[in-house]
Amino acid sequence: MPMEKTFDPAAIEAKWARLWESRGLFRPHRPDATPFTIVNPPPNVTGALHIGHALDNTLQDVLIRYERLRGKDALWVVGTDHAGIATQMVVERQLNERQQKRTDFTRDEFVDKVWEWKATSGGQITRQLRRLGCSMDWSREQFTMDAHFTRAVVKVFVDLHKKGLIYRDKRLVNWDPKLKTAISDLEVETHEVQGGFWHFKYPLADGVKLDDGRDHIVVATTRPETMLADMAVAVHPDDARYKSVIGKFVELPITGRRVPVVADEHADPELGSGAVKITPGHDFNDFEVGKRAGFKPAEMLNMFDGDANVIQTADGLIPAEYLGLHRFKRDGIDGARELVVQRMKETGFLIPHVDKDGGEHDAEPRTIQTPFGDRGGVVIEPWLTDQWYVDAEKLAQAPIQAVRDGRINIVPKTWEKTFFNWMENIQPWCVSRQLWWGHRIPAWYAEDGRTFVAETEEEAQAEAGAGVILTRDPDVLDTWFSSALWPFATLGWPDDTELLKRHYPNDVLISGFDILFFWDARMAMQGMEFMGEVPWRTLYLHGLVRAPDGQKMSKSKGNVVDPIGLIDQYGADALRFFMCAMESQGRDIKMDDARLAGYRNFATKLWNAARFCEANGIAASTSLEAPAATLPVNRWIIGEVADTVAAVEAAFAAYRFDDAANAIYSFAWDRFCDWYLELIKPVLSQKPSPLQGRGLGEGHEAVPAPADGPLSPALSPEGEREIAETCAVAGWVLDQILVMLHPFMPFLTEELWTGLGDRADYPLITAKWPAPNAARDAPASADIDWLIKLVSELRTAKAELGLPPGARLTAHFPASLKDRADKLAAQLDRLARLETISFDPAPAGASAQLVVEGETITLPLEGVIDIAAERERLTRALAAATKERDSLAGRLNNPSFVERAKPEAVEKARTDHAAKEAEADRLSAALARLG
């Protein structure tokens, strides 16, 4: 059947996604081929496709489709993460809607409810990835809570514990009082909060005074409630004001606790009073100061329970009136903060802040960078608690060396410095979470305090001995711990499977730079520890997708873009191509609807070009190599194909997705659609169109039959040969475009590939990558490139002079161009639209001068246009454009405007200036052409 007139992305996307997957074409059987492996960053099972997912997975799909076309045994591992906190929250929220809560059920009953939720609602994002065109091996879809994966997670924990690389310790964690669990740094968001800066007097004990006679040290804090657990005051060791009291004590107001004055470089002499209150149980910096001061973590004071309510410290010095209070004011009831400030004020230990008008206030107003839990939505409390930790410092050594010696290639290279800086200063990794959903920690405790870590309870019991009562650790593992095993546990580890042998190490990992440390680095640690080899040979880090104004997308700003909505509007192919064309190493991507619409138009243009080919008897090629060609236009386009294939391959080798996309775009739109199809119309016009009279949409028409009727007896054998050659070359070139474009626009290209030829058993997704076995034909390229430049210059001149594109002019060529003009006579007649070509000298008078490759071609204008009127029009337009250009330049050269105006206003001024500058240049050129 002939192709549809209109390109409709929605009509073909669902069809091909279903056919590819149902026929197993995402993982064709290629046991003897070179393996190529990618694993996807597993999205949360609770998730929906966001624009970052769209970028990340598009880049992966482009690579996997490219390598599949190159004949490799391409495996793209797909799966989802169980997302402990997020999933538990979703299910608990559903329970709350039914007036139930998690604790109404046993742990096992609640976990069963989570599995029920996953079975009914947990597949949204995988369905959306299919809409994007992701050619993952869906037949082996993984889940981090699957039985085989859980076995791998437990084994890793136990083995690391046996090696001393996992241990239990008391340290500070990011505690979410709403979720009642420790969370990772990635799950902490910093918000600006309007708060206060309180100044307190801490009296020196034992009658000690400072050199200036004061009997107290002034400290300042944004968290006055934490003074209930203060354990020291720190001063800089070189601060002359405090040298005499280092090693002395202060007696804290309210609690009466005696705490030492310690010397530590954490205290900045230039900041405030130079003295800092130290609460090691509730501040990460203070924790380190406390350790340096000699406090063991077990000795550090904790003043909050898991809800952030005040509890008694180990020394029993917090007054009873504070116990049970929340840390902040809540539901109109003062919290510990408000009571501390009130009591300090009442006892004269609060130093009021005096504003510029002389007014007194309890605190100095401050904008404070405050950590919030991204899901709980409350202020994070640094909390001293017992957790399980991984010795990340030791595990980091092998990946550091692998990056240094090139076994792991980080792209772009600029990220290596960041990688080394973090890995060389890495802290212990807290891997326990206080949740019910997740991989439960395989540790059991005896009543006498002993701990037994084993893969099963039976093994733990055997180690503990008969009669010893064991209680299992209630915590689960951080989801980053399990996802760190993704490159090898998804392939069957700890079993020594054939899949594991063949596809580990993976070839490439593509990820956002924002999870370099939370996931990428940890995969490198675990992969090298348990497999003895890097998890992947290349780590490609892409940027963020930002709003059109460059801001980071967030729900609070209301600038989040839904990729499914973009697919509905523009088609998946256009969105994919946009992502690749804009993905320039090391740079973020700004959303741009105009570019998306442009790539949808690109798809439509190629569709119409394919319909033109179909209408003129140009069909699918049967040759991988370029057909034999004698006509310059055909030899030229074959060379263009060879150059484009080389450019695309070079771009892929360097992970330049933008260069690869732009190379095929430029060739398909400019060289093939705009020029080649026009250049071959004189050849095709020698025969009738098989679809004569059928409308072909914008851009191309069926070439009309010659006047003497179908298959004119006058058609010479040479003409027949030229037609056959041109149809063969055009069909081959279109096939090469479809293959090269397929990784970027899989739906459109597969539809055209199938529609243009009978190859149902040879779908494009498993076709062969171009191998033209041809090179650029220098003489043919020189001729056609000259023709294209001439026609482009002629069209520009007509536009500048206000002439219609179809206006036929007389042209005077230098005699040196006669042979070339004769050779290209048919193409010149069709494209240049010249009335006559003369090789005599041009007559005197006004004319337009075209300089093409150093040769001057003259177009007499006497009698064609009103020279004086045109010169006047151009002069007025040039003056207006110049005035506006210079006005914009003045604004941009004004530092006040550039520094104070909104960034989008400055950017618009730059864009407008560039446009007016180009307009002025164009008008100047037009005036110059008039002579």
Side-chain angles (χ1 to χ4, degrees):
M1 293 179 62
M3 292 172 58
E4 295 292 333
K5 181 177 180 180
T6 304
F7 170 54
D8 180 6
I12 65 174
E13 288 173 359
K15 176 184 75 174
W16 283 113
R18 182 178 65 255
L19 287 174
W20 286 328
E21 186 173 346
S22 65
R23 293 179 61 185
L25 298 179
F26 291 156
R27 185 88 198 288
H29 184 65
R30 293 174 176 172
D32 299 325
T34 302
F36 182 84
T37 314
I38 295 179
V39 297
N40 81 316
N44 288 353
V45 70
T46 58
L49 193 73
H50 59 61
I51 201 69
H53 289 134
L55 169 63
D56 195 83
N57 286 279
T58 292
L59 299 180
Q60 293 175 74
D61 193 52
V62 166
L63 273 190
I64 209 76
R65 286 180 184 269
Y66 170 64
E67 296 295 353
R68 192 185 291 122
L69 289 168
R70 295 177 73 202
K72 293 187 180 179
D73 180 22
L75 170 63
W76 186 8
V77 175
V78 60
T80 51
D81 188 278
H82 64 278
I85 294 175
T87 307
Q88 183 160 317
M89 283 184 67
V90 167
V91 177
E92 287 199 61
R93 195 176 299 124
Q94 289 185 344
L95 292 176
N96 294 340
E97 291 171 358
R98 299 194 292 266
Q99 284 72 53
Q100 295 175 313
K101 55 183 183 294
R102 170 169 54 99
T103 51
D104 292 341
F105 304 90
T106 66
R107 183 178 187 135
D108 289 343
E109 288 172 342
F110 176 78
V111 169
D112 286 344
K113 289 189 176 296
V114 179
W115 280 108
E116 290 172 10
W117 172 87
K118 179 185 181 294
T120 57
S121 306
Q124 179 184 7
I125 195 165
T126 55
R127 291 190 293 272
Q128 292 173 328
L129 288 171
R130 286 173 167 91
R131 283 206 63 188
L132 188 63
C134 294
S135 57
M136 297 156 160
D137 184 6
W138 295 103
S139 68
R140 297 190 64 261
E141 185 175 344
Q142 307 282 303
F143 182 52
T144 50
M145 287 290 286
D146 285 342
H148 75 277
F149 207 98
T150 298
R151 185 162 65 93
V153 171
V154 170
K155 177 174 174 56
V156 165
F157 186 97
V158 172
D159 287 359
L160 288 176
H161 183 265
K162 287 178 180 177
K163 296 176 182 178
L165 296 173
I166 278 187
Y167 57 91
R168 193 163 170 79
D169 195 10
K170 185 183 290 290
R171 296 176 62 91
L172 283 187
V173 296
N174 295 310
W175 183 261
D176 189 316
K178 183 174 182 180
L179 302 180
K180 297 181 181 60
T181 181
I183 61 175
S184 73
D185 290 342
L186 186 65
E187 294 155 325
V188 176
E189 295 179 341
T190 300
H191 299 166
E192 287 189 349
V193 173
Q194 297 305 310
F197 202 43
W198 288 265
H199 291 75
F200 295 150
K201 297 177 183 178
Y202 276 10
L204 287 157
D206 307 320
V208 173
K209 293 186 178 181
L210 296 172
D211 291 344
D212 62 8
R214 284 183 296 149
D215 61 357
H216 63 272
I217 294 177
V218 176
V219 298
T221 181
T222 59
R223 303 178 67 208
E225 67 278 4
T226 61
M227 72 163 295
L228 299 175
D230 278 355
M231 297 186 72
V233 172
V235 298
H236 194 279
D238 298 329
D239 193 333
R241 294 171 294 178
Y242 300 112
K243 278 196 173 184
S244 65
V245 297
I246 292 174
K248 309 298 184 183
F249 292 85
V250 298
E251 188 170 302
L252 296 178
I254 300 179
T255 62
R257 184 180 301 119
R258 284 169 58 91
V259 303
V261 179
V262 300
D264 195 284
E265 293 185 354
H266 170 66
D268 184 351
E270 304 299 323
L271 186 63
S273 69
V276 184
K277 62 185 285 298
I278 301 299
T279 316
H282 293 284
D283 183 278
F284 287 101
N285 288 323
D286 292 4
F287 180 78
E288 299 300 327
V289 174
K291 286 200 301 182
R292 291 193 291 269
F295 298 117
K296 296 177 181 178
E299 300 169 345
M300 295 178 184
L301 299 177
N302 174 36
M303 60 172 285
F304 289 128
D305 63 14
D307 294 301
N309 295 326
V310 178
I311 58 173
Q312 187 57 268
T313 49
D315 59 10
L317 294 178
I318 296 181
E321 66 174 331
Y322 293 89
L323 301 180
L325 290 180
H326 189 63
R327 55 183 174 167
F328 308 137
K329 188 172 186 175
R330 189 169 60 175
D331 300 328
I333 300 173
D334 283 348
R337 172 171 296 182
E338 289 73 25
L339 186 57
V340 164
V341 171
Q342 181 184 339
R343 294 290 182 259
M344 292 294 281
K345 186 175 183 180
E346 291 170 349
T347 53
F349 292 111
L350 172 68
I351 301 173
H353 168 68
V354 180
D355 63 27
K356 61 181 180 179
D357 298 321
E360 289 191 356
H361 307 274
D362 290 347
E364 173 188 351
R366 283 283 183 93
T367 299
I368 302 166
Q369 301 293 323
T370 306
F372 283 76
D374 64 347
R375 292 188 174 89
V378 301
V379 175
I380 293 304
E381 185 64 45
W383 202 44
L384 193 64
T385 181
D386 290 312
Q387 302 283 351
W388 287 93
Y389 289 89
V390 171
D391 188 343
E393 183 180 0
K394 289 184 180 176
L395 289 179
Q397 299 311 306
I400 289 172
Q401 185 56 42
V403 173
R404 289 201 188 284
D405 62 28
R407 283 175 292 152
I408 293 177
N409 175 35
I410 296 180
V411 181
K413 286 287 185 186
T414 50
W415 281 107
E416 282 190 0
K417 183 178 179 181
T418 306
F419 174 84
F420 289 133
N421 183 59
W422 190 79
M423 293 287 273
E424 290 168 355
N425 296 280
I426 199 167
Q427 297 299 307
W429 172 18
C430 177
V431 294
S432 45
R433 298 290 182 265
Q434 290 64 54
L435 303 169
W436 280 4
W437 170 245
H439 298 103
R440 196 164 176 184
I441 290 175
W444 287 261
Y445 304 110
E447 292 176 328
D448 60 7
R450 289 181 297 159
T451 301
F452 301 93
V453 173
E455 293 188 31
T456 65
E457 185 172 0
E458 291 74 20
E459 292 177 7
Q461 190 67 65
E463 187 179 345
V468 177
I469 298 175
L470 297 179
T471 303
R472 186 165 186 177
D473 193 310
D475 292 350
V476 300
L477 285 163
D478 173 20
T479 52
W480 296 107
F481 184 89
S482 50
S483 60
L485 317 185
W486 199 245
F488 54 95
T490 52
L491 301 175
W493 188 91
D495 296 331
D496 190 22
T497 66
E498 288 303 314
L499 200 66
L500 183 66
K501 294 175 184 175
R502 183 165 177 75
H503 290 280
Y504 190 93
N506 308 161
D507 289 86
V508 184
L509 177 75
I510 294 180
S511 104
F513 69 82
D514 51 338
I515 55 172
L516 171 60
F517 307 121
F518 297 99
W519 188 51
D520 306 345
R522 287 164 178 171
M523 279 189 289
M525 294 179 196
Q526 300 288 43
M528 298 195 74
E529 177 67 24
F530 286 92
M531 299 298 297
E533 178 59 280
V534 297
W536 8 258
R537 298 179 179 91
T538 297
L539 171 59
Y540 182 88
L541 298 169
H542 60 74
L544 301 177
V545 184
R546 295 186 176 273
D549 60 2
Q551 291 192 62
K552 189 174 182 180
M553 291 185 188
S554 72
K555 292 179 181 177
S556 62
K557 294 177 182 175
N559 61 358
V560 173
V561 174
D562 177 13
I564 297 301
L566 296 176
I567 290 173
D568 291 338
Q569 184 175 1
Y570 300 105
D573 286 328
L575 176 60
R576 291 166 58 103
F577 202 92
F578 168 80
M579 292 294 187
C580 295
M582 300 294 284
E583 170 53 26
S584 181
Q585 289 179 9
R587 296 181 182 177
D588 291 342
I589 294 174
K590 289 183 184 179
M591 285 306 304
D592 186 340
D593 278 10
R595 291 289 291 266
L596 274 165
Y599 293 130
R600 180 194 57 198
N601 295 342
F602 171 53
T604 299
K605 188 176 184 74
L606 192 61
W607 183 271
N608 289 335
R611 294 184 68 244
F612 168 83
C613 290
E614 179 190 50
N616 287 281
I618 297 168
S621 176
T622 57
S623 170
L624 192 62
E625 294 186 356
T630 58
L631 295 177
V633 66
N634 290 329
R635 299 203 309 273
W636 165 74
I637 198 67
I638 289 170
E640 293 287 322
V641 169
D643 286 354
T644 304
V645 171
V648 171
E649 289 176 346
F652 273 125
Y655 297 95
R656 293 304 307 240
F657 293 91
D658 53 345
D659 288 350
N662 291 327
I664 183 60
Y665 177 91
S666 177
F667 173 71
W669 184 299
D670 181 46
R671 311 308 262 179
F672 181 72
C673 293
D674 280 356
W675 288 109
Y676 178 70
L677 294 185
E678 289 297 325
L679 289 166
I680 64 174
K681 283 179 179 178
V683 178
L684 298 178
S685 66
Q686 301 176 80
K687 70 165 188 173
S689 165
L691 300 179
Q692 186 69 34
R694 179 168 164 237
L696 292 173
E698 180 185 353
H700 296 289
E701 299 285 341
V703 177
D708 54 350
L711 297 178
S712 165
L715 184 61
S716 67
E718 180 63 17
E720 291 181 352
R721 188 197 64 75
E722 289 180 354
I723 292 170
E725 173 191 308
T726 300
C727 287
V729 171
W732 177 83
V733 174
L734 181 54
D735 270 5
Q736 309 315 298
I737 290 173
L738 297 179
V739 178
M740 285 188 282
L741 187 58
H742 177 76
F744 305 96
M745 290 182 150
F747 297 111
L748 166 71
T749 53
E750 187 74 84
E751 182 75 6
L752 293 178
W753 176 271
T754 305
L756 290 171
D758 181 15
R759 37 193 176 190
D761 295 329
Y762 189 54
L764 176 55
I765 190 174
T766 52
K768 292 182 179 179
W769 184 254
N773 193 27
R776 177 174 290 278
D777 184 305
S781 293
D783 286 341
I784 301 301
D785 286 344
W786 172 85
L787 175 64
I788 289 172
K789 291 173 186 174
L790 169 63
V791 172
S792 298
E793 285 289 318
L794 185 58
R795 289 172 178 174
T796 299
K798 286 181 178 180
E800 290 172 349
L801 296 170
L803 292 170
R808 288 189 171 270
L809 305 176
T810 296
H812 290 262
F813 281 36
S816 58
L817 292 177
K818 190 172 189 313
D819 289 344
R820 178 171 273 174
D822 289 344
K823 189 189 312 181
L824 300 172
Q827 285 81 9
L828 275 170
D829 179 63
R830 181 173 187 88
L831 297 178
R833 297 180 185 270
L834 295 171
E835 183 69 31
T836 59
I837 296 176
S838 172
F839 296 95
D840 297 330
S847 64
Q849 310 292 316
L850 308 182
V851 179
V852 181
E853 295 185 356
E855 301 273 15
T856 300
I857 295 167
T858 304
L859 306 173
L861 296 176
E862 294 290 347
V864 177
I865 61 173
D866 185 330
I867 303 296
E870 182 63 16
R871 183 176 287 113
E872 183 180 353
R873 182 188 72 82
L874 290 172
T875 301
R876 286 198 309 268
L878 176 59
T882 302
K883 180 178 179 182
E884 195 163 349
R885 177 200 66 191
D886 294 344
S887 174
L888 288 163
R891 294 178 69 191
L892 290 169
N893 290 329
N894 182 350
S896 179
F897 169 73
V898 175
E899 293 169 8
R900 296 181 183 179
K902 291 183 178 180
E904 52 267 34
V906 176
E907 184 61 31
K908 185 178 185 306
R910 289 196 175 109
T911 302
D912 291 346
H913 176 264
K916 288 299 174 183
E917 188 171 46
E919 182 181 353
D921 290 345
R922 178 178 61 79
L923 292 166
S924 295
L927 272 170
R929 288 189 196 278
L930 291 176

